Amino acid sequence: MTVLRPSRPRQALAALALVLAAGAGHAAGLDIHADADARDVGLPLYPGAVKRAEPGSDSHSGAFSFGLWGDSFGFRLAVASYRSDDGVEAVARFYRDALARYGPVLACTGVHARARGHDGQDDRDKPVSCDGDSVEAGGHLFKVGINRAQRVFQVKPAGDGAACTLVRIEMHSTD
C-alpha cells in the first residue's frame, strides 16, 4: 500500500475547495489536519505504539486527515502511522481483531491478485478486495468494509519491532 503525498497538498486542496464552492447556492467544505491518530481511523492504538516520525525530522508526516464535501458528495481519508517495539505478528493479531468489529477481515498478505475488471455496476457498495495489493515479505495487509467505507491496516518489520499504517476511507454521494 502506498500513500501518495502531493508536493503542495494544502494549496491544491484549497484551490479545489474554491472551485467546488464557486457555484452560487452550493455548499462545500474542506478539512485538513496533520495530526490524525488511530481514533480518526476508528481503531484503537496498539499498546505502547508511538507515531512514526519522518527520518531526520520531528514531524509526524505519516499522520493526516483530509475531508472534502459538497451538496451531493463527500470524501474522507485518515492515515496514521505508528512504530512498536513488539513484533509484526503481535501487532497484526491485535489489529485483525480490532478490524473485525467492522465486518469480515480480508487478509491480503501474500496475495498477488489481479485487479478486478469493471463490470458496469456500481462498485461502491461491494466488499473490499485485495485488488493486486500486497505487502513486503514478513508483513501483513488487512482490509475490511465496502469500497466506499473501508479501513486498511498494513504492518511490516522495522528493526526489532514493527511499523504499521492505519487508513480509513469514506465516500458518499446522493447519485
Side-chain angles (χ1 to χ4, degrees):
M1 178 177 64
T2 303
V3 176
L4 300 176
R5 295 187 187 137
S7 60
R8 297 177 187 227
R10 289 188 182 179
Q11 292 88 346
L13 295 174
L16 178 59
L18 288 173
V19 168
L20 293 172
H26 295 283
L30 176 67
D31 185 26
I32 302 173
H33 295 280
D35 59 350
D37 60 25
R39 289 175 302 208
D40 294 309
V41 178
L43 293 169
L45 177 61
Y46 183 81
V50 295
K51 280 191 175 178
R52 281 193 336 214
E54 192 69 31
S57 168
D58 293 331
S59 164
H60 299 295
S61 62
F64 67 91
S65 67
F66 164 76
L68 180 66
W69 64 93
D71 286 340
S72 62
F73 73 94
F75 176 80
R76 179 177 178 200
L77 172 66
V79 177
S81 297
Y82 292 94
R83 167 104 175 59
S84 173
D85 291 335
D86 290 346
V88 167
E89 296 305 319
V91 176
R93 231 180 350 267
F94 177 87
Y95 279 107
R96 184 178 48 236
D97 292 345
L99 286 165
R101 78 180 222 193
Y102 294 105
V105 177
L106 178 63
C108 298
T109 305
V111 172
H112 297 285
R114 294 178 314 192
R116 285 178 300 175
H118 185 69
D119 59 9
Q121 297 178 346
D122 187 355
D123 290 340
R124 291 178 291 186
D125 292 322
K126 290 186 178 179
V128 293
S129 67
C130 291
D131 281 340
D133 292 338
S134 64
V135 67
E136 68 186 54
H140 292 278
L141 175 63
F142 301 131
K143 295 181 177 186
V144 66
I146 58 177
N147 288 326
R148 67 177 169 82
Q150 60 181 282
R151 286 169 177 78
V152 179
F153 163 80
Q154 177 186 10
V155 63
K156 58 187 177 181
D160 291 336
C164 66
T165 303
L166 314 173
V167 179
R168 179 180 185 176
I169 302 169
E170 291 183 355
M171 299 173 278
H172 60 84
S173 65
T174 57
D175 53 290

